[in-house]
Amino acid sequence: MARRKFVCGNWKMHRTRAEGRELVRALAPLVADAGDRVQIAIAPPFTALEAAAQALASPTGARIELAAQDCHWEPQGAFTGEVSPAMLADAGCVHCVVGHSERRQFFGETDEGVRKKAAALLKAGVLPIVCVGETLQEREAGRTLDVVSRQVRGALQGLAAADVALLTLAYEPVWAIGTGKTATTAQAQEVHAAIRKLLRELAGDAADRVRIQYGGSVKPDNAAELMAQPDVDGALVGGASLKAADFSQIVKGALR
Ligand code: PGA
């Protein structure tokens, strides 16, 4: 089944409001032509979401969707520092990244937390991008598929197949994030195919609809080859999404 490729830029903790607006204005015209064939999103920090949303409200910007980088699972309450899925929807977010390895590594994110966040997002009408991926140590110990399966099972537990179909998964080997080391196309395809197989086990034919992005040092010169793999349905891009020219090249790599 042909799945529309999906490329999302994860700005992480970068860009003020003014810088975000500037980046959106530079990016929008560069990807305007690709927007009907590739789904494109950017995930600015919370503080720049509104500025980015305003900058996207132009005829070319309309091709780019807004995403958040994380959320809490409750709709509201006494959770200092947190932002709810409903608040993200209100800010114009179509998507939200959950379970990013930096959250797992530095902020104690668990599979259970990822599951609750994904379910809460779906309830609020925001589409989750669920990140999974092994560390270098886990890869070297031959545990990649075990770790990734555990993370996928954890995130999907209790979800109906119709909800699973709405998810995007992002396979991001931790050793490839921000390191300049990209997984080879064969390494990426192997894990993506294993994830697809597991999805089929868990949710039947919905597996064919789930986009599985690759993430980890995606650059203009490796994006097209990675996304040409049968089970690589797009990219989650960190560093290179902060440069309009690089990100637009990566988006175009999805067209080949
Ligand atoms: P990177 O980050 O492209 O800078 O490696 C990817 C990510 O963390 O999503």
Side-chain angles (χ1 to χ4, degrees):
M1 176 182 157
R3 287 173 292 270
R4 189 165 169 235
K5 298 261 195 293
F6 178 22
V7 178
C8 180
N10 172 11
W11 293 7
K12 308 193 178 182
M13 199 169 72
H14 295 285
R15 300 296 181 255
T16 60
R17 291 177 306 153
E19 290 164 351
R21 268 193 290 266
E22 206 176 303
L23 181 50
V24 169
R25 287 194 191 123
L27 177 66
L30 298 179
V31 298
D33 287 349
D36 52 351
R37 284 166 294 163
V38 184
Q39 190 168 6
I40 309 165
I42 52 168
F46 293 135
T47 47
L49 281 174
E50 183 155 15
Q54 284 165 0
L56 289 174
S58 69
T60 48
R63 300 286 196 184
I64 304 172
E65 294 168 337
L66 201 59
Q69 299 176 16
D70 191 26
C71 68
H72 194 274
W73 52 79
E74 292 293 342
Q76 58 182 34
F79 300 102
T80 303
E82 296 293 322
V83 172
S84 77
M87 290 168 180
L88 296 177
D90 180 52
C93 291
V94 177
H95 312 270
C96 179
V97 176
V98 286
H100 190 280
S101 70
E102 285 151 16
R103 305 265 359 139
R104 294 179 191 260
Q105 227 177 322
F106 306 132
F107 303 99
E109 182 90 285
T110 61
D111 289 340
E112 171 66 2
V114 175
R115 180 189 69 74
K116 290 203 265 190
K117 289 178 181 188
L121 284 165
L122 288 166
K123 207 165 155 196
V126 179
L127 301 169
I129 300 173
V130 177
C131 303
V132 298
E134 82 288 2
T135 62
L136 183 59
Q137 207 183 9
E138 288 162 344
R139 176 160 283 266
E140 286 176 346
R143 295 180 47 224
T144 298
L145 297 183
D146 283 352
V147 169
V148 169
S149 303
R150 188 207 74 216
Q151 292 169 334
V152 173
R153 281 180 195 279
L156 270 58
Q157 215 183 7
L159 284 187
D163 281 339
V164 172
L166 296 173
L167 298 179
T168 296
L169 293 183
Y171 168 57
E172 301 201 299
V174 177
W175 48 272
I177 295 178
T179 57
K181 278 193 217 159
T182 319
T184 62
T185 50
Q187 282 171 328
Q189 171 57 25
E190 183 198 10
V191 179
H192 283 233
I195 293 174
R196 182 95 51 212
K197 190 163 163 242
L198 177 60
L199 288 172
R200 195 171 307 285
E201 223 176 88
L202 299 173
D205 289 345
D208 290 325
R209 294 181 39 205
V210 176
R211 265 87 55 85
I212 310 176
Q213 297 172 323
Y214 169 80
S217 298
V218 176
K219 305 283 179 231
D221 63 1
N222 58 27
E225 199 192 346
L226 283 159
M227 289 187 276
Q229 300 304 303
D231 288 295
V232 180
D233 308 310
L236 185 56
V237 185
S241 73
L242 296 171
K243 292 187 193 131
D246 285 2
F247 189 63
S248 69
Q249 283 292 322
I250 292 169
V251 167
K252 284 172 192 157
L255 296 173
R256 277 187 254 154

